[in-house]
Amino acid sequence: MAKPVILTVDDDPGVSRAVARDLRRRYAERYRVVRAESGPVALDALRELKLRGEDTAIMLADHRMPEMNGVEFLERAMDLYPYARRVLLTAYADTDAAIRAINVVDLDHYMLKPWNPPEEKFYPVIDAQLKAWKHTERWAPEELRVVGHRWSARSYEIRDFLARNQVPYTFLLDTAPEAAELVAAAGSPELPIVVTADGTCLSAPTDAQVAAAVGLTTAPAADFYDLIVVGGGPAGLGAAVYGASEGLRTVLIEQHASGGQAGQSSRIENYLGFPDGVSGAQLADRARRQAEKFGAELITTGQVTGLEEAGGARVVHRADGGTIAAHAVILATGVDYRRLAAKGVDEFTGRGVYYGAAMAETPECKGEEVYIVGGANSAGQSAVNLARIAEKVHILIRAEGLQRSMSHYLIEQIAGIPNIEVHPLTTVIAGGGTDRLESLRLCDPEGERTVDAHYLFVFIGAEPRTDWLDGVVERDDRGYVLTGPDLIDAGRLPEGVPRQPYHLETSLPGVFAAGDVRAESMKRVASAVGDGAMAVALVHRYLEQS
């Protein structure tokens, strides 16, 4: 097996040779050092390494380079080697740029030049980055292949599941020669199929089977915990981080993928500490790794179907028939997008109609006219992202404008993007097509009209999906969980409890709600994370008095 690569790029030949010399002196036995003197040349080298199946451990780039500076190079290199550690080499005068790059390219470290002696200022940094790289879970894109029909809803669901869990894969249309060979070798199984690195073929697999095949955890390691967190969105991840970091044996159960709806956002630009924005996937991945670092267990494809009180324990029932118990539970299940009530649209779900950002489908929108239904931030973020590759993006809203439902910064961005058009007072009344979505019937103040459309992304509000809690905890008439003061105001305090509920506590003592599922919560990422942290503090208070 080829040695992993350490890549260094600097336009100054003397500095480039010096960096490579110092690297080879210490790491040549275990790593191959590759140097380049410009960003484009370095990208060509990375593409060649990728084609040969070689891995890259660290990329070191000088900030001040012509044609392409270090930040621009690292941003483009992320697409080729997302798990490689990224280090920016900078002069003292460029430290502000380096700090900004932490948000732009998820920079792992920046180093000031010069670094003599390397034993004190250079090697310790590289050692730490190599150690972090070795402990990063990573999959080679060529190791996992998905074969299916282009307009199969289940093929889309599998690709979306892999994309949201940040598992690289190669999708092969069933008509491709390589796909035909794989299908024949597997005995012509039912499509879609997932082929793993060791040649195992999964035919029409469930999400749980796919998760197990790619190494995601699908079952808890124990029967009893201090804290169970149900839901892996910002609130759930926040609760898992704070719970585990404060010594609680914590397990998080997520049905789909870490990040929830926020994890599908192409760019979140109003989250504290990220002035240049951060993708929802990056934020979710960081939070997931942080929770696991503190010892939290994260269960994927874990559908929860029930909750009950059993003495001092709180028992969670899972769809597979198993149960887990804990001293306390935090409900952070978030919300799901409402379905679009338009004739014929449902039959094209996963075949041109998508709820949420649908990251797996975004690249396919190149050169297309794309339609988005919804006027809140998630719709705006998706529009801005799609406008980079689509020929035109149409935003359809019922209201007269975006001002009531979308943040001001997004409205300004959209106004400045020429290929985004907002259609006020417009609704979708029908969808048409054969194997895929081909047209939409729209209604606006001028009447009805039919437009050609292959892609429709829907962001039309949300529902909490809390039917499984019926009769267990108090909810409002929309299904959101009532907690603390809201229980008191509604006159729905639990009987036989000698104290009033804590601020985020439900009508069942020891069970708390955080994030979007909680009645009257702020529907923002920052407030959801705050809810998760506050809920853990209240769990401690509950445990101390139990």
Side-chain angles (χ1 to χ4, degrees), residues 108-185:
D108 295 302
H109 198 87
Y110 71 90
M111 295 179 58
L112 296 177
K113 300 186 294 184
W115 52 75
N116 289 324
E119 289 77 12
E120 294 180 11
K121 299 182 178 180
F122 187 62
Y123 295 143
V125 172
I126 303 302
D127 288 345
Q129 296 306 317
L130 288 172
K131 182 179 180 180
W133 175 77
K134 288 178 181 177
H135 288 85
T136 299
E137 293 181 358
R138 52 191 186 276
W139 300 265
E142 63 273 17
E143 288 186 346
L144 191 73
R145 288 163 290 180
V146 178
V147 179
H149 304 299
R150 175 66 185 91
W151 299 111
S152 158
R154 183 56 189 153
S155 290
Y156 160 71
E157 289 168 358
I158 290 175
R159 291 185 289 120
D160 185 60
F161 176 80
L162 293 170
R164 290 184 62 186
N165 281 286
Q166 300 193 22
V167 180
Y169 66 92
T170 299
F171 178 56
L172 301 171
L173 292 175
D174 58 309
T175 54
E178 183 183 350
E181 293 174 3
L182 286 172
V183 171

Side-chain angles (χ1 to χ4, degrees), residues 52 60 75 127 166 193 214 282 313 360 447 450 534:
R52 295 205 303 257
L60 299 95
E75 187 171 18
D127 288 345
Q166 300 193 22
I193 63 171
V214 300
Q282 285 178 320
T450 299
M534 187 191 305

Side-chain angles (χ1 to χ4, degrees), residues 368-371 394 432 437-442 449-455:
E368 295 272 358
E369 289 206 24
V370 176
Y371 288 80
H394 301 271
L437 179 70
E438 295 173 354
S439 65
L440 291 172
R441 187 75 177 160
L442 307 180
R449 58 192 170 97
T450 299
V451 296
D452 293 334
H454 292 152
Y455 293 93

Side-chain angles (χ1 to χ4, degrees), residues 175-436:
T175 54
E178 183 183 350
E181 293 174 3
L182 286 172
V183 171
S188 301
E190 180 185 353
L191 296 182
I193 63 171
V194 174
V195 183
T196 63
D198 62 4
T200 301
C201 177
L202 306 176
S203 174
T206 63
D207 286 354
Q209 289 171 326
V210 174
V214 300
L216 298 174
T217 303
T218 58
D223 296 325
F224 196 90
Y225 294 83
D226 294 319
L227 174 63
I228 297 172
V229 181
V230 184
L237 288 168
V241 167
Y242 281 93
S245 68
E246 293 175 13
L248 297 178
R249 188 173 187 190
T250 302
V251 60
L252 182 150
I253 305 173
E254 166 56 42
Q255 185 173 355
H256 299 296
S258 298
Q261 285 189 3
Q264 299 183 68
S265 295
S266 57
R267 204 80 180 160
I268 302 170
E269 297 191 65
N270 59 350
Y271 187 69
L272 185 67
F274 292 87
D276 295 299
V278 61
S279 75
Q282 285 178 320
L283 192 62
D285 181 60
R286 284 185 171 196
R288 178 190 60 79
R289 288 188 280 119
Q290 194 173 15
E292 290 178 330
K293 181 187 80 169
F294 288 122
E297 288 183 38
L298 271 62
I299 309 300
T300 307
T301 67
Q303 184 178 357
V304 174
T305 58
L307 172 66
E308 67 173 331
E309 179 181 12
R314 303 294 176 261
V315 180
V316 166
H317 294 260
R318 294 158 38 215
D320 61 6
T323 60
I324 320 175
H327 294 300
V329 173
I330 295 176
L331 305 173
T333 50
V335 290
D336 288 336
Y337 289 112
R338 290 197 187 98
R339 312 305 278 185
L340 184 62
K343 183 180 178 181
V345 166
D346 265 355
E347 63 183 275
F348 298 111
T349 301
R351 300 186 294 133
V353 176
Y354 306 98
Y355 288 86
M359 295 181 290
E361 284 299 315
T362 300
E364 304 300 325
C365 296
K366 185 175 181 180
E368 295 272 358
E369 289 206 24
V370 176
Y371 288 80
I372 293 175
V373 179
N377 279 6
S378 53
Q381 290 159 353
S382 182
V384 171
N385 183 50
L386 288 167
R388 298 188 179 104
I389 57 173
E391 181 177 329
K392 190 164 187 178
V393 178
H394 301 271
I395 301 177
L396 314 178
I397 56 173
R398 290 176 176 271
E400 295 183 354
L402 297 170
Q403 287 75 15
R404 292 186 60 184
S405 56
M406 189 177 293
S407 294
H408 179 68
Y409 80 92
L410 266 176
I411 295 174
E412 287 192 326
Q413 278 189 32
I414 289 170
I417 299 175
N419 63 330
I420 296 180
E421 183 177 353
V422 179
H423 301 266
L425 304 173
T426 303
T427 57
V428 177
I429 57 175
T434 51
D435 292 337
R436 61 178 293 190

Side-chain angles (χ1 to χ4, degrees), residues 96-109:
D96 286 346
I99 293 170
R100 288 195 299 272
I102 291 173
N103 295 319
V104 175
V105 297
D106 200 14
L107 193 67
D108 295 302
H109 198 87

Side-chain angles (χ1 to χ4, degrees), residues 499-522:
R499 60 171 176 82
Q500 291 187 341
Y502 298 128
H503 185 68
L504 300 181
E505 194 172 20
T506 70
S507 58
L508 177 58
V511 175
F512 300 80
D516 289 359
V517 75
R518 181 174 65 83
E520 305 302 327
S521 64
M522 287 285 295

Side-chain angles (χ1 to χ4, degrees), residues 464-486:
R465 312 288 189 196
T466 55
D467 291 348
W468 62 281
L469 291 169
D470 189 28
V472 181
V473 299
E474 295 287 343
R475 299 171 296 150
D476 66 14
D477 55 4
R478 295 180 299 165
Y480 289 95
V481 177
L482 294 169
T483 60
D486 294 323

